[in-house]
Structure formats: C-alpha cells, structure tokens
Amino acid sequence: MKVETLPVTQGSYNLKDYEEAYKSFDWKDAEKVFSWAETGKVNMAYEAIDRHAESFRKNKVALFYRDEKRNEKYTFYEMKKWSNRAGNVLKEYGNVEKGDRVFIFMPRSPELYFSVLGAIKLGAIVGPLFEAFMEGAVKDRLEDSEAKVLITTPDLIGRVPVDELPHLKTIFIVGSDVEEAGPFVDFNKKMAEADNDLDIEWVDREDGMILHYTSGSTGRPKGVLHVHNAMIQHYHTARWVLDLQETDIYWCTADPGWVTGTSYGIFGPWLTGTSNVITGGRFKPENWYQTIEDFGITVWYSAPTAFRMLMSAGDELVKKFDLSSLRHILSVGEPLNPEVIRWGMKVFNKRIHDTWWMTETGAHVIANYPCMEIKPGSMGKPFPGIEVAIVDDQGNVLPPNRMGNLAIKKGWPSMMRQIWNNPEKYESYFLPGGWYISGDSAYMDEDGYIWFQGRVDDVIMTSGERVGPFEVESKLLEHPAIAEAGVIGKPDPVRGEIIKAFVALNEGYEPSEELKEEIRQFVKTGLAAHAAPREIEFKDKLPKTRSGKIMRRVLKAWELDLPAGDLSTMED
Ligand code: 6R9
C-alpha cells in the first residue's frame, strides 16, 4: 500500500540533528540544563519561574491571560512574586507542608496558576480538578487523596460536600466579599496582604508534585502521581516536539484539570522560558481564531475534536483572520484523522503534528517532529531515549506491521510513580520484562512510525476527554428508575466518540423521552456534563456474564451491528 507523506515543517532543527540526537540521546546529559545540576536544589516551580525571573527573561511576559472579563499579562518577575504570595498564603492560613495534597477546583484564571506554582514551591502535591466536575466526582477525588486544602470559587463551592470530607481543613475561596468563617478563607484578601518573598522548599527529585485523577475501564478514577523529576522530559519535549524558541508565543488550549493542561499548559512552556497564552471561557471558533490573531500565536497545541469543530465552522471563517503568525501546530488526545490534517494544510498552509502520550506517561512519548515527514494517520515516532514497542500479552516484542499492545520500557523520566493509595493497580500496568502496557493497541511500520488502532479496554474518549464507563454506570445506578446500566463509546464524526448508555428499568417505571432527559440531567449534575450520556436506550435486560458483569462488548456489537464474538460466559 502506498502511504501518503507530507513534507517537513521548517522547524528550528533539521532531520540530521534529530537523527543524531536519536542515536546519542542520553537522559543524564539532558539534566544539565537545570540549575539543580549545579546547585543540587530541586523544585519544578523554581525552574519554571524564579530561574527566569533572575535572568535576562525577568521582564519577558510569562503569562498572557484573557477571558470575557479579564485581559492581563504577567512577566516572569511578576509570576515569581505572585506565586510566592500564593505559597505564603497557603502556608500561613492552610498550614501547607511538603507532601500535603492541595486541590484546585476552579475555572482558568491567573489565580489558578499562582496557586499551582505556589503550592509546588512548598513541596505540596497539587490536584487540579476540572471545573465541570459535579459533587460526586469532586468528593471521590478529595476523599481518595485525603486533600487537606482546597482552592475554589463561590460558584463551585456548592459542589464540595465539605461536611463529608474530614481531611479537608482549609478552603480558600477566590472571589469578592468572601465571608471568612470555619474552614473558609478569602484568598484574594490574603494575597493582597502577603509577602513577596518565600523560602522555597527544596525537594528530592522523586518527591510528589502533581496528582491527576483519570479513568480506567474498571473501578473508581485513580490518582496518577507525578514527581519533580518529570521536568526533565517536560523540558526536552517542549524543546523538540513543541519546538519552543525564545520568541515564540505559545497557546495550549487544554484545561489544567487534564494532564495536557499542566504538562504542556504550565511546565513545558515555562521550563523553557516561553510566553504562554491562557484563555478562559467557552469554545467559539471566532474567538479561537481571534486569539491566534491578537496574540500572534506561533505554536498552537490543541485536540482533534477542536480541529473538527473548527473545520465544521467552515473555511470562509478562517479567511476573516490573519493567522500568518502560526508556524507550528500540534494535536493530542484522540486519533487525528488524515482528513483534518489535509484541512489544516488547506486553511493554515501548515501541517498538524500528532503527539501521543497519556496521563500515566506524564509527557510526550510518540510524536511527529517538525523535521520529519508525516504519514497522515500515524502518531509519529518515539521520543529519543524512550523505548517503545508493540508487544503481545506476554510481553514479547512483535515484528513490524503486527498489531498488539502499545508498550513503553519502564524508566522514562516523567513516568508516573504511584497510583495513589493503590499499589496493586500500579503494578497491574507492567508486564515482566519491564514493559508498561498503555491500554492502546497499535502497530509499528517498517520505518518506525506508529499507527493507533484503538483502546484495548472500554475506556471512552469523548471530545478528547477520558471517561471511564464504570463511573458513569455507577452514577446511573443511583437513579431510582434504573436497575441495570451499561455504557459504551459510540463512534461520532466530531467528538470521536459519544457516550451511549443502555439501561434496564426497575418495576414501576416506563421508558419515555422525559425519563431519558431526567437521567441525562442526573448524570450531568451528579458527575459532570461531559460524562452524561448523549444517547440512552432502554432494554428489558442487559447482557451479563454469569458472574454478573455487564458485557460492554456485546452492547457495542449491538450498537455497531457487528458479530458479538464469544458468548460462552454470558448468562442465559
Ligand atoms: C494526553 C492524554 C490517554 C489516551 C491514550 C489514547 C488516547 C492520546 C492520542 C490518542 C490516538 C493520539 N490518545 N493521544 N489516541 N492518537 N495522538 O490525552 O492523556 O487523557 O490520559 O488519555 O488518549 O487512547 O491512551 P489521557
């Protein structure tokens, strides 16, 4: 089969550099860029902010922030001061110490970023929560992590069941006219009075830094812990994959509630001293193009669903904006369709570069580098210094063009170090021989390009967000009308997949459109809007194994009109 390729992007290095690096790349050398290589004093937030504030980048803009109400910018010097203040506030009023879990549940705003950095400066472990989470999702995460401090807003505090969270001692509210009583502290007021200087807590490279909850196909969401050492990979992937340079204006559209919004919305850009644009508010194609034009975005990192939505907004709209500043565009989170890449060539005259990685990997693992030819539909090649292979279920490496488990050899710098409170779960990711099993299936072609084939498990990727069917099913079962529930991802041209629920009703309930809407609202308000099933189908009974497990693969087969496969374990 003839595979189409697209020519290289004019990046800051060429294929020869890349090939050289590929042969000789050594993570030990890669560490030398950090100040701790000389001083021995480690802290991610110091490397990301303070170090630049003490250099020629002092007055360079670190953060451009814009939403419907605010339009602000902060230099590295100002970011240092504000994050120091945040650190002081957390220490003084929240007694935050090294290792404590500090959760942040609020929409994007400069205060969110000051808080993340301030908490990391204290050696705390930051848990960012997506603003769309509702009470059940918030409670699960605060409970499992035993968070001591929460930073949130007046709009969101109603979703935090404070009385049911004994470990939660202090709640900072970011808003105006905050009433200070019990655990509640007025964040902005304390920030206004706080000191600009802070004693940074120097940590060990293996100390915890960020805790991202993510979904699997079974069980509750799990806390994936990353340590300060991850900065090595954040820095070098920001250099090689994002290709960030001194004069770049970079925009990552992801929220810090998801791993892309921290690794590449905070750490990667700031470790490399890059000007970082952050926007709040809802997705609107006009606003996105306007953002690129107004800030003169040069490097843009987004996701297939967003590109597909822009695509469906039409090519005429693109022409209304001056997007000539763009030099490098990247994508992550779901398969990037060749069609979208072709559209990008047409309207931006630029390639869109796919990248593959996961919450658990902490940073890029596979990418299309600016200097290499792209094969549309392929995720690219492994990052230098990381061993990626396709293995069978026993961990044997498969030859080219054979589909199997996408696996990574244990030991890359930004690998997760723990599943919070769940060592068995952590161990279950690895096969003998040190292979980390991603849960994705793929094959590698003879040129070393990797082609995504699907998830091995039932995890749903909807609009680039990872949703565990179990979490949605559990919520559905809390509804009084529902006796049984099974949830699958149904292919969708824009969102990648949408969530479809099959439900069997309890006696006394009748299927109806109103009931569907009520169920949808129930999940939306109990869990999160993005986790609510867009489609619901009533069934008398759901297919189950004899041990009572819902057989999602049978539901999927029903949905897609496919053979259901081996039914020997199904009950009658
Ligand atoms: C960073 C992030 C991880 C899962 C992963 C895979 C899917 C990510 C992809 C991709 C096809 C790509 N995924 N990148 N699928 N092509 N370029 O997305 O982390 O939320 O943990 O999701 O996303 O299935 O296993 P996370």
Side-chain angles (χ1 to χ4, degrees):
M1 184 179 78
K2 166 125 180 50
V3 181
E4 124 191 63
T5 57
L6 295 176
V8 305
T9 298
Q10 195 49 50
S12 58
Y13 58 91
N14 59 35
L15 187 59
K16 229 175 154 42
D17 296 341
Y18 168 76
E19 283 170 348
E20 264 322 298
Y22 211 87
K23 275 182 267 160
S24 60
F25 196 88
D26 178 356
W27 288 114
K28 276 266 157 279
D29 280 342
E31 290 173 25
K32 293 184 184 146
V33 298
F34 298 102
S35 63
W36 46 259
E38 279 173 30
T39 62
K41 294 177 171 172
V42 177
N43 190 301
M44 159 77 89
Y46 176 81
E47 296 295 324
I49 301 295
D50 296 30
R51 185 188 183 185
H52 305 305
E54 293 157 14
S55 80
F56 67 94
R57 297 194 182 103
K58 175 176 175 182
N59 295 317
K60 178 176 177 175
V61 175
L63 168 64
F64 288 100
Y65 179 81
R66 186 162 85 176
D67 62 24
E68 288 93 355
K69 296 199 198 87
R70 300 170 70 172
N71 191 1
E72 295 164 16
K73 54 184 172 203
Y74 299 88
T75 63
F76 280 102
Y77 176 67
E78 290 166 325
M79 288 300 285
K80 175 181 168 183
K81 286 202 299 194
W82 285 110
S83 55
N84 281 352
R85 285 180 178 227
N88 282 321
V89 169
L90 292 171
K91 187 156 71 175
E92 196 168 329
Y93 301 97
N95 294 314
V96 172
E97 290 175 12
K98 184 175 162 185
D100 286 342
R101 273 77 65 211
V102 172
F103 270 62
I104 303 181
F105 178 41
M106 62 185 191
R108 275 169 259 181
S109 71
E111 290 72 26
L112 187 160
Y113 294 84
F114 305 153
S115 305
V116 170
L117 294 162
I120 291 175
K121 282 184 172 179
L122 299 179
I125 297 172
V126 172
L129 294 180
F130 188 44
E131 61 175 296
F133 284 142
M134 302 304 282
E135 182 166 327
V138 172
K139 185 180 172 199
D140 274 352
R141 288 156 176 83
L142 294 177
E143 203 164 59
D144 183 69
S145 63
E146 302 187 342
K148 173 167 154 188
V149 167
L150 177 71
I151 307 166
T152 188
T153 64
D155 288 346
L156 298 181
I157 185 65
R159 301 187 202 158
V160 185
V162 178
D163 296 340
E164 297 164 42
L165 295 162
H167 295 277
L168 189 58
K169 300 289 186 241
T170 309
I171 301 171
F172 290 95
I173 305 283
V174 185
S176 43
D177 303 323
V178 175
E179 209 180 309
E180 294 194 304
F184 299 106
V185 180
D186 181 338
F187 183 79
N188 287 339
K189 185 164 154 232
K190 301 296 189 240
M191 282 289 274
E193 299 160 355
D195 207 283
N196 281 328
D197 296 314
L198 173 76
D199 288 329
I200 290 190
E201 177 79 31
W202 302 112
V203 298
D204 189 274
R205 283 157 56 174
E206 290 297 315
D207 282 334
M209 177 182 75
I210 196 148
L211 188 60
H212 273 290
Y213 277 81
T214 189
S215 306
S217 56
T218 55
R220 298 255 155 225
K222 47 190 193 264
V224 173
L225 181 73
H226 287 291
V227 299
H228 287 254
N229 190 68
M231 76 174 97
I232 302 172
Q233 199 168 331
H234 292 149
Y235 176 95
H236 287 281
T237 50
R239 275 269 178 269
W240 286 84
V241 182
L242 304 180
D243 194 32
L244 293 178
Q245 302 299 318
E246 197 58 55
T247 54
D248 276 319
I249 308 285
Y250 167 74
W251 185 32
C252 168
T253 59
D255 188 271
W258 311 107
V259 74
T260 308
T262 55
S263 292
Y264 297 107
I266 299 179
F267 309 135
W270 284 334
L271 284 167
T272 51
T274 307
S275 294
N276 194 13
V277 174
I278 311 263
T279 56
R282 291 197 150 268
F283 172 87
K284 258 210 224 69
E286 295 82 343
N287 296 357
W288 275 37
Y289 293 137
Q290 194 72 58
T291 298
I292 296 171
E293 176 176 311
D294 289 352
F295 291 100
I297 304 291
T298 58
V299 180
W300 179 29
Y301 197 11
S302 197
T305 294
F307 291 125
R308 287 188 296 258
M309 286 177 168
L310 292 173
M311 204 167 124
S312 63
D315 297 359
E316 284 310 306
L317 185 64
V318 188
K319 293 185 190 138
K320 293 194 181 137
F321 299 88
D322 176 6
L323 308 180
S324 58
S325 58
L326 282 175
R327 74 168 181 86
H328 188 29
I329 311 175
L330 303 103
S331 171
V332 66
E334 345 146 43
L336 179 65
N337 331 61
E339 192 196 347
V340 175
I341 298 183
R342 283 184 216 112
W343 168 78
M345 292 294 287
K346 186 170 71 179
V347 300
F348 306 127
N349 193 24
K350 291 280 172 310
R351 309 187 308 174
I352 301 177
H353 299 72
D354 197 9
T355 61
W356 179 92
W357 58 294
M358 312 176 65
T359 307
E360 292 87 338
T361 71
H364 296 145
V365 171
I366 299 169
N368 287 281
Y369 305 91
C371 64
M372 79 192 219
E373 288 186 336
I374 286 181
K375 299 187 188 187
S378 157
M379 307 190 290
K381 291 187 184 185
F383 193 79
I386 302 181
E387 198 181 335
V388 174
I390 307 299
V391 305
D392 65 15
D393 291 344
Q394 285 70 47
N396 302 304
V397 176
L398 298 173
N401 297 318
R402 283 269 306 278
M403 190 169 130
N405 299 296
L406 177 54
I408 313 167
K409 198 43 115 20
K410 195 171 176 168
W412 67 98
S414 65
M415 185 178 92
M416 64 168 171
R417 296 300 201 268
Q418 261 184 52
I419 294 293
W420 197 258
N421 257 333
N422 199 340
E424 299 82 38
K425 181 79 207 173
Y426 181 79
E427 287 310 322
S428 73
Y429 276 95
F430 300 93
L431 285 182
W435 290 110
Y436 162 86
I437 300 298
S438 65
D440 287 358
S441 63
Y443 68 88
M444 192 187 283
D445 69 18
E446 45 289 297
D447 300 326
Y449 284 76
I450 295 164
W451 301 74
F452 178 84
Q453 299 296 294
R455 287 289 306 181
V456 175
D457 56 23
D458 299 330
V459 167
I460 301 167
M461 295 298 301
T462 177
S463 301
E465 278 154 15
R466 190 164 152 185
V467 176
F470 177 79
E471 215 183 341
V472 183
E473 288 163 1
S474 308
K475 183 47 74 182
L476 286 166
L477 290 177
E478 288 173 18
H479 189 282
I482 296 177
E484 290 174 355
V487 165
I488 61 164
K490 173 179 171 176
D492 179 83
V494 174
R495 293 184 168 78
E497 287 181 313
I498 58 163
I499 300 172
K500 169 147 191 181
F502 292 86
V503 297
L505 297 178
N506 279 318
E507 289 232 334
Y509 290 91
E510 289 301 321
S512 71
E513 286 308 310
E514 293 75 55
L515 183 56
K516 277 188 191 172
E517 190 46 39
E518 186 190 313
I519 293 171
R520 208 171 289 128
Q521 286 304 325
F522 182 77
V523 180
K524 217 173 190 168
T525 53
L527 203 55
H530 65 270
R534 282 186 181 258
E535 280 185 27
I536 296 174
E537 188 172 328
F538 296 112
K539 290 272 171 200
D540 291 340
K541 213 172 151 201
L542 296 187
K544 286 193 293 295
T545 61
R546 286 190 199 108
S547 60
K549 269 206 205 108
I550 302 281
M551 296 178 84
R552 298 190 190 110
R553 106 186 124 77
V554 177
L555 296 174
K556 205 146 188 168
W558 282 353
E559 184 60 41
L560 303 178
D561 239 341
L562 293 172
D566 178 12
L567 296 179
S568 59
T569 60
M570 190 151 101
E571 64 170 12
D572 301 334

